[in-house]
């Protein structure tokens, strides 16, 4: 069975906040002497994510 993929929309500020938080979490894990493999994977995915432009259309119900 294939893994589900999730797509999220972030602006530049939100992306920077996520990268900063993940980096802080990684530093805390390193300070505790634990492995950072999971955080590293997510951090690399966020940093290397492609940008895609699209238009949002709001409709009233």
């Amino acid at each position: 069975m294939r893994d589900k993929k999730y797509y999220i929309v972030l602006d530049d500020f939100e992306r920077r906040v996520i990268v900063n938080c993940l980096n802080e979490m990684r530093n805390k894990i390193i300070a505790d002497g634990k492995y950072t493999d999971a955080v590293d994977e997510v951090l690399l995915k966020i940093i290397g994510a492609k940008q895609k432009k699209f238009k949002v259309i709001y409709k009233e119900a």
Side-chain angles (χ1 to χ4, degrees):
M1 189 167 133
R2 296 175 70 186
D3 291 334
K4 287 186 177 181
K5 290 189 178 184
Y6 295 93
Y7 297 93
I8 58 173
V9 178
L10 303 171
D11 60 15
D12 290 334
F13 176 74
E14 293 168 335
R15 183 178 174 275
R16 280 184 274 149
V17 169
I18 290 174
V19 169
N20 189 29
C21 290
L22 286 170
N23 197 30
E24 287 178 12
M25 181 186 298
R26 184 177 181 273
N27 290 338
K28 286 180 186 177
I29 293 172
I30 289 172
D32 292 340
K34 298 180 181 178
Y35 294 106
T36 61
D37 297 341
V39 178
D40 291 342
E41 286 182 31
V42 176
L43 190 58
L44 288 174
K45 283 184 180 183
I46 295 291
I47 290 172
K50 296 178 184 176
Q51 276 189 341
K52 183 175 181 180
K53 292 186 178 183
F54 60 93
K55 190 179 217 178
V56 177
I57 300 172
Y58 295 99
K59 293 185 179 180
E60 293 184 26

